[in-house]
Amino acid sequence: MTGLRWATTNGRKGTRTTAATAASAARSRHPARPPRLTHLDALESEAVHVFREAAAEFERPVLLFSGGKDSIVMLHLAAKAFWPARVPFGLLHVDTGHNFPEVLKFRDHAVAEAAVRLEVARVQDYIDDGRLRERADGTRNPLQTVPLLDAINTHRFDAVFGGGRRDEEKARAKERVFSLRDEFGQWDPRRQRPELWSLYNGRHRPGEHVRVFPLSNFTELDVWQYIEREQIELPSIYFAHRREVFRRGGMWLTAGDWGGPKPDELETVQTRSVRYRTVGDMSCTGAVDSHAETVPEIIAEIAASTLTERGATRADDKLSEAAMEDRKREGYF
């Protein structure tokens, strides 16, 4: 054995390996340090903290859950926050009636796996009984606000977790992690409360509620890197697949019974390799050309993209310069 001769404390000579001696010398030069946290560790820790703070401050919280990637990551984080206990609140989905079938199927699968309660508020019910009218452009995303606020009032939810992120859209970038809504469910940007360090203000009067955004400081790339690290399952719609789509407003929309395409406007159906960066109502959610079939391929695609997630794929955000802020003032997500 290759080794060094060394003297023991009892005076006898022994053998010490070269490798052991080198390791000891290295430890003396560099004292043991705690493992360095990654940015995903920091984001996860912050989100878990937000979930626990809200659960402690509010009596009747609920988590908005569409079956999309952000709400799936939120459910995953909520499960971590309260493990080994169950998630101590239910889920709420506002179904426009034009949701992607793959996403609804995955929504029900995820709910069953998590063993949590799901409430569904349906836009179609409001159209059928005359409380809402179909829009001329066929878009149902703006119609979600009334069913959402009715569900919040009916179930007396005082905190509503949402998957909004600050990198998505400029109106969302303005919001705090705890965002107060008045008794009509409306958001007033002038009533933003300061959030110093990790101190959140959940105080509200009867009838008011607070929207809580645990993913505020995630970016789209962070979300996908977290999905990869945690091996989180997603609907197939997020990965490249062959689909019938047509061009409208610079986006590839899915052909279907919701109202597209329009032959008189020369909208023709094509079969292309596409995937979705965000999901929502089919009438306003566009696909992007892609061949990314795995999470690492999607991460590489997003890292190289110069377009934001919603800017590339959400027609309802393009209705006006302040479209999202106007909807949020009315009580939208």
Side-chain angles (χ1 to χ4, degrees):
M1 175 185 294
T2 301
L4 300 177
R5 303 300 298 178
W6 56 284
T8 63
T9 53
N10 60 11
R12 293 179 300 177
K13 291 186 176 179
T15 302
R16 194 175 190 184
T17 65
T18 303
T21 302
S24 176
R27 283 195 296 273
S28 65
R29 290 194 301 270
H30 303 287
R33 296 175 181 173
R36 179 174 297 178
L37 297 179
T38 67
H39 74 291
L40 294 180
D41 293 326
L43 291 169
E44 179 189 75
S45 177
E46 180 184 58
V48 165
H49 172 67
V50 170
F51 272 115
R52 290 174 177 167
E53 280 290 300
E57 288 197 41
F58 298 96
E59 295 181 355
R60 299 178 66 84
V62 69
L63 190 154
L64 292 174
F65 189 80
S66 65
K69 67 180 189 310
D70 297 316
S71 59
I72 292 169
V73 167
M74 281 211 301
L75 183 58
H76 180 85
L77 287 163
K80 278 198 166 189
F82 303 104
W83 180 264
R86 285 186 177 181
V87 175
F89 40 77
L91 312 180
L92 171 64
H93 181 212
V94 181
D95 185 348
T96 68
H98 292 163
N99 291 98
F100 292 94
E102 303 97 316
V103 179
L104 291 182
K105 183 178 179 181
F106 189 90
R107 178 201 68 183
D108 295 339
H109 163 71
V111 168
E113 286 286 310
V116 289
R117 184 183 68 259
L118 172 68
E119 301 285 348
V120 180
R122 295 179 173 81
V123 171
Q124 188 64 54
D125 292 343
Y126 285 72
I127 294 175
D128 290 344
D129 64 18
R131 284 178 288 175
L132 287 175
R133 295 178 60 182
E134 198 84 75
R135 291 168 55 93
D137 60 6
T139 300
R140 285 190 171 181
N141 254 15
L143 302 183
Q144 296 179 85
T145 301
V146 173
L148 169 66
L149 296 181
D150 279 356
I152 291 172
N153 290 329
T154 299
H155 296 284
R156 294 182 291 111
F157 296 131
D158 55 0
V160 182
F161 293 104
R165 308 187 319 266
R166 288 180 172 134
D167 77 319
E168 287 184 80
E169 201 275 340
K170 51 185 178 295
R172 288 189 165 175
K174 290 182 179 180
E175 284 211 81
R176 302 287 195 253
V177 176
F178 277 29
S179 184
L180 182 68
R181 296 296 195 273
D182 65 15
E183 62 270 34
F184 303 106
Q186 297 173 330
W187 176 59
D188 184 349
R190 295 167 298 183
R191 295 183 68 192
Q192 296 277 310
R193 294 165 166 176
E195 291 181 339
L196 304 178
W197 303 288
S198 298
L199 300 177
Y200 304 117
N201 186 345
R203 297 179 65 180
H204 62 285
R205 293 178 295 189
E208 295 178 336
H209 70 275
V210 173
R211 304 284 173 88
V212 182
F213 301 105
L215 305 185
S216 285
N217 292 326
F218 279 69
T219 65
E220 182 188 12
L221 186 59
D222 295 330
V223 169
W224 278 103
Q225 289 174 334
Y226 189 71
I227 287 168
E228 180 184 44
R229 189 184 85 167
E230 300 292 307
Q231 297 292 294
I232 298 173
E233 191 179 1
L234 291 180
S236 59
I237 197 170
Y238 282 109
F239 302 93
H241 57 285
R242 303 285 291 176
R243 177 179 286 265
E244 289 189 342
V245 293
F246 65 94
R247 198 74 168 167
R248 177 182 293 174
M251 294 191 300
W252 293 114
L253 298 181
T254 292
D257 297 335
W258 60 267
K262 299 177 180 177
D264 56 334
E265 296 185 13
L266 304 179
E267 294 175 343
T268 56
V269 174
Q270 304 178 34
T271 301
R272 304 179 68 90
S273 176
V274 298
R275 73 173 194 86
Y276 286 84
R277 291 175 66 175
T278 182
V279 297
D281 192 86
M282 283 191 285
S283 61
C284 61
T285 306
V288 294
D289 289 312
S290 174
H291 296 285
E293 298 179 345
T294 66
V295 173
E297 289 174 351
I298 291 173
I299 290 174
E301 185 180 272
I302 294 171
S305 175
T306 57
L307 293 174
T308 64
E309 175 182 342
R310 293 186 69 93
T313 62
R314 295 301 284 267
D316 51 339
D317 289 347
K318 300 178 180 178
L319 296 177
S320 72
E321 183 65 22
M324 173 63 84
E325 182 161 333
D326 292 342
R327 293 203 301 275
K328 292 180 82 67
R329 287 175 181 268
E330 296 169 356
Y332 190 71
F333 305 124

